[in-house]
Amino acid sequence: MFSIPLVFAITGGYVALLFIVAFWIERNSSWGEKLSNSPFVYALSLGVYCTAWTYYGSVGKAATSGMLFLTMYLGPTLGIVFWWVLLRKLVRIKNAHRITSIADFISSRYNKSEVLAALATIVAVVGSLPYLALQLKAIFTTITLITNSTPQSASSPLTLEQVHILVLVILILFTILLGVRRLDPTERHRGVMVALALESIVKLVAFIAVGIFVTYYINHGLLDIMTSISKEAVAPLVHDINPEGRSYLTWVTYLLLSMSAILFVPRQFHVAVVENSNEKHIRTAMWMFPLYMFLINFFIYPVAMGGLLAGQPLAQADSFVLSLPSISGNQGLVLLVFIGGVSAATGMVFAESMTISTMVTNHLILPLVSRVKSLGFLRRHLLSCRWLVVIGFILLGYLFTVKIAVTFTLVDIGMIAFAAFLQFAPPIVAGLFWPRANKTGAISGLTAGFVLWSYTLLMPTFIKGGWLPSSILTKGPWGIALLNPERLFGVFISNPLIHGVFWSLLCNIGLLVAGSVLSRQDEEEQRI
C-alpha cells in the first residue's frame, strides 16, 4: 500500500503535468495552434464523456446488471451516426451566433430569451452536482483503497479528510488557472482540449492494462473466464444478476439517456460544439470516438467477472479495477490504475466547472447586475465572479458527495444526472427541426421537465440519504399516495429511473408542443 503523502504527491504531480502541457499549448502559438486544431485531439477530447463512471462504475454495473453497461456506449454510438447532420448544424449555428454554452444556444434559438437561458443554466448546475459528486466520490474512495487507511491514520501526518480538502484545492486551482484564467468571448480553450485528449489516452492505456492483467495473468484468457463463471461457486452470483439488466424498457431508457448525454451534457456540448474549430473534424470524430469507446469497454465484463471469480464482494464491484491488481501484489499496476482513475474523474471536473462558470456568469449574474443598480460594480469583477462560481460549484459537489452520494453506486448517481440533461433535448431538437417551436413552449416544457425530474428522481435521493422523511416514499407527501415521487399518480414502474424519465420527458415534450401550438412567435423569433 502507498502512504497518504505519496498518493497526494502523485495526484498533485499528475495534475501539475497536465497544467504544464496545457499552459505550453496556450503560450506556444505555432505548435499550440497546430496541435489543438488536430482532428485527432478533437476526437480524443470527446473522451471526457468516459469519466469515473466508465472507469469504475461500468465494472460495478456489469457485475450487478450484466451487459446493461453497454447501453452507455451503444447509445452514443447510435447518436454519432447522425452527427454529420446534427452536430455539423450545431457547429455552424455556433459560429454564426458566437454561441458560448448550451444555455446560450437554447436562448439564441428562442428569441434570445434571458428567462430561458437562466432556466437552462439552473438545470445544468443542479443536474451537474450529482455527476460532480460521482467523480469526487471515485477519487476519495480510491485514495482510501490504495492507502488502506481509516479516516484518521495515526501513521500519517495527513488524515484522509485533509487529503480530500487538498484534492479539492488542486481541482479548483487547476480549473481557474487554465480554464477560467481570462474572459474569452469565444470561450475556446486550446490548452484544455489538449489536456483532455492526453487524459483520454492515459485512462485508456490504464484500463486496457488492468484488463489484460485480469484476463491473461490472473485468469487464462476470455474463454477461461467465461468457462469459470459457470462453476458452482460463482454461478449463483451471475444468475442472480439484477433483473433490470434483462428488462427491455430499462435498455431503451439507458440508450435514450446516453444518446442524449453525448451532446447535451453541458461539458460535452462545450467540447463538441463550442471548442470545434473546423467542422471537418466531425468526420474524424465519427469513427475515432466510437473506436475509443469500444477499446475502453472491451475488458469491462472480463474485469467484472474476474472480480467475482477472485472472491471479491459484489457490494464493492465499483472498485474491482483497483482491488484486483492490489490483491495480486502488482503495485506498479495499482499506481497506473489510480492515475487513470484520476484522469477519468478530473477531466470531467475541469470541463464541467469551466462550462458552468461561463453559464452562471453570463446568464444569472450579468442579467441580475443589469437589473439591480447597486450590483453594477460586479461588471468590473466578472472574472472574479467566475472564480467564485468554480469554487462554489466544486464545494457543493463535495457536500453532495459526503451527505448523499455515499449511499448510491456510481452508475446510479450518473443516471440521475443524465436524466436531468435529457431535458435539454426537446427544446434543442425541436428548435433545430420544427420551425413552429417557440419561446413559450420551450420555457413551459423545460420548466415542467426539470420540476418533474427534481420531484421523481432528485428528491428520492435526499430521502434515501436521510435528509427528508422516508414516509414520503411509503405513504406519499402529507399521506397522499398519488403524489408518491416514485409512484406518481398511481403509475408504478419497478425501476424509479424509468418512472422519473417517463414523467419528466412526457411533460417536457407535451408542454413544448402545446405551448408552441397555442401561442404565436413574434417576427424576430420567426426570423431566427
Side-chain angles (χ1 to χ4, degrees):
M1 287 294 125
F2 302 93
S3 67
I4 291 179
L6 177 61
V7 170
F8 173 70
I10 291 170
T11 304
Y14 177 70
V15 173
L17 175 62
L18 292 176
F19 174 78
I20 292 171
V21 170
F23 189 73
W24 180 79
I25 293 295
E26 293 278 354
R27 295 296 298 269
N28 193 315
S29 57
S30 57
W31 275 95
E33 185 73 24
K34 183 178 180 180
L35 189 59
S36 63
N37 288 335
S38 165
F40 300 106
V41 168
Y42 175 72
L44 284 171
S45 67
L46 292 169
V48 72
Y49 174 81
C50 300
T51 63
W53 175 350
T54 298
Y55 201 80
Y56 297 113
S58 289
V59 172
K61 196 66 176 177
T64 57
S65 301
M67 290 296 180
L68 183 61
F69 78 92
L70 285 176
T71 55
M72 292 299 96
Y73 314 100
L74 290 175
T77 302
L78 292 173
I80 288 170
V81 172
F82 304 100
W83 269 16
W84 191 240
V85 175
L86 179 59
L87 180 53
R88 188 170 57 152
K89 191 177 182 73
L90 293 172
V91 169
R92 289 181 174 180
I93 293 173
K94 178 266 298 189
N95 292 331
H97 294 271
R98 299 175 68 85
I99 303 296
T100 59
S101 67
I102 192 168
D104 193 21
F105 183 93
I106 295 174
S107 169
S108 297
R109 164 59 178 84
Y110 297 102
N111 205 14
K112 303 186 185 300
S113 169
E114 290 187 351
V115 172
L116 192 52
L119 177 60
T121 299
I122 293 171
V123 174
V125 172
V126 178
S128 295
L129 285 176
Y131 209 64
L132 176 62
L134 184 161
Q135 314 308 317
L136 297 178
K137 178 183 179 181
I139 294 175
F140 298 156
T141 300
T142 53
I143 288 176
T144 302
L145 285 173
I146 70 171
T147 57
N148 196 23
S149 301
T150 59
Q152 178 71 39
S153 179
S155 62
S156 171
L158 291 174
T159 65
L160 282 175
E161 288 84 355
Q162 291 170 337
V163 172
H164 294 172
I165 298 300
L166 290 174
V167 168
L168 292 177
V169 171
I170 291 174
L171 294 174
I172 290 170
L173 287 177
F174 182 85
T175 304
I176 290 175
L177 291 174
L178 192 61
V180 198
R181 193 173 68 252
R182 62 180 184 273
L183 292 173
D184 186 351
T186 65
E187 294 303 336
R188 292 197 63 234
H189 306 83
R190 295 184 305 172
V192 172
M193 290 291 283
V194 175
L196 292 178
L198 178 59
E199 285 190 307
S200 293
I201 294 173
V202 170
K203 62 193 176 191
L204 176 63
V205 170
F207 199 89
I208 289 178
V210 74
I212 292 174
F213 178 78
V214 172
T215 305
Y216 296 102
Y217 288 85
I218 294 181
N219 297 283
H220 300 288
L222 291 172
L223 184 60
D224 175 56
I225 291 177
M226 300 309 293
T227 302
S228 299
I229 62 175
S230 62
K231 292 180 180 178
E232 184 176 349
V234 182
L237 289 175
V238 178
H239 293 159
D240 291 339
I241 276 177
N242 193 325
E244 72 167 355
R246 300 189 291 271
S247 166
Y248 293 113
L249 195 56
T250 301
W251 274 71
V252 171
T253 302
Y254 274 56
L255 284 170
L256 177 64
L257 289 172
S258 58
M259 188 183 300
S260 168
I262 196 62
L263 272 184
F264 300 142
V265 170
R267 73 175 184 281
Q268 291 298 137
F269 185 92
H270 184 88
V271 172
V273 180
V274 178
E275 295 285 357
N276 184 286
S277 60
N278 188 334
E279 68 177 49
K280 293 181 180 178
H281 293 172
I282 298 172
R283 288 189 183 274
T284 302
M286 287 180 67
W287 65 263
M288 189 172 176
F289 185 47
L291 175 61
Y292 179 90
M293 288 192 293
F294 170 78
L295 293 175
I296 204 169
N297 279 276
F298 185 79
F299 286 107
I300 284 179
Y301 196 72
V303 171
M305 294 301 104
L308 296 179
L309 290 170
Q312 293 294 292
L314 188 62
Q316 298 177 15
D318 281 346
S319 62
F320 281 1
V321 176
L322 199 60
S323 61
L324 289 175
S326 180
I327 62 175
S328 300
N330 194 326
Q331 298 302 304
L333 185 57
V334 170
L335 190 57
L336 177 62
V337 170
F338 174 72
I339 293 174
V342 170
S343 292
T346 56
M348 178 274 168
V349 176
F350 298 152
E352 198 79 3
S353 301
M354 181 180 67
T355 304
I356 291 296
S357 71
T358 299
M359 295 168 66
V360 170
T361 304
N362 291 351
H363 305 301
L364 293 181
I365 296 177
L366 275 177
L368 184 62
V369 168
S370 66
R371 286 169 171 73
V372 182
K373 292 184 178 180
S374 60
L375 297 177
F377 71 95
L378 289 178
R379 288 186 180 276
R380 302 189 302 272
H381 304 285
L382 288 181
L383 188 57
S384 299
C385 289
R386 287 197 178 183
W387 297 346
L388 290 175
V389 171
V390 169
I391 295 171
F393 179 65
I394 292 179
L395 290 181
L396 282 174
Y398 176 68
L399 182 63
F400 196 99
T401 303
V402 296
K403 297 297 183 181
I404 297 175
V406 291
T407 60
F408 295 88
T409 66
L410 298 181
V411 169
D412 290 339
I413 299 172
M415 296 312 297
I416 292 172
F418 273 17
F421 302 134
L422 179 64
Q423 308 310 315
F424 290 137
I428 291 178
V429 175
L432 288 174
F433 300 106
W434 187 33
R436 193 169 177 177
N438 63 26
K439 179 174 66 176
T440 301
I443 293 176
S444 302
L446 188 56
T447 300
F450 177 60
V451 169
L452 266 296
W453 170 82
S454 300
Y455 188 73
T456 60
L457 288 173
L458 186 62
M459 190 168 76
T461 66
F462 284 89
I463 296 171
K464 294 170 185 176
W467 283 58
L468 292 172
S470 59
S471 60
I472 297 177
L473 289 181
T474 56
K475 301 178 181 179
W478 308 290
I480 305 174
L482 288 177
L483 297 182
N484 186 323
E486 294 186 341
R487 297 190 181 192
L488 193 60
F489 302 129
V491 175
F492 173 69
I493 302 175
S494 59
N495 188 326
L497 175 68
I498 301 174
H499 175 269
V501 169
F502 167 75
W503 279 113
S504 61
L505 199 57
L506 175 67
C507 293
N508 192 332
I509 296 175
L511 288 182
L512 170 65
V513 173
S516 299
V517 170
L518 296 176
S519 62
R520 299 182 62 183
Q521 298 171 329
D522 58 28
E523 292 183 2
E524 178 63 16
E525 193 170 358
Q526 288 179 359
R527 185 190 66 80
I528 293 174

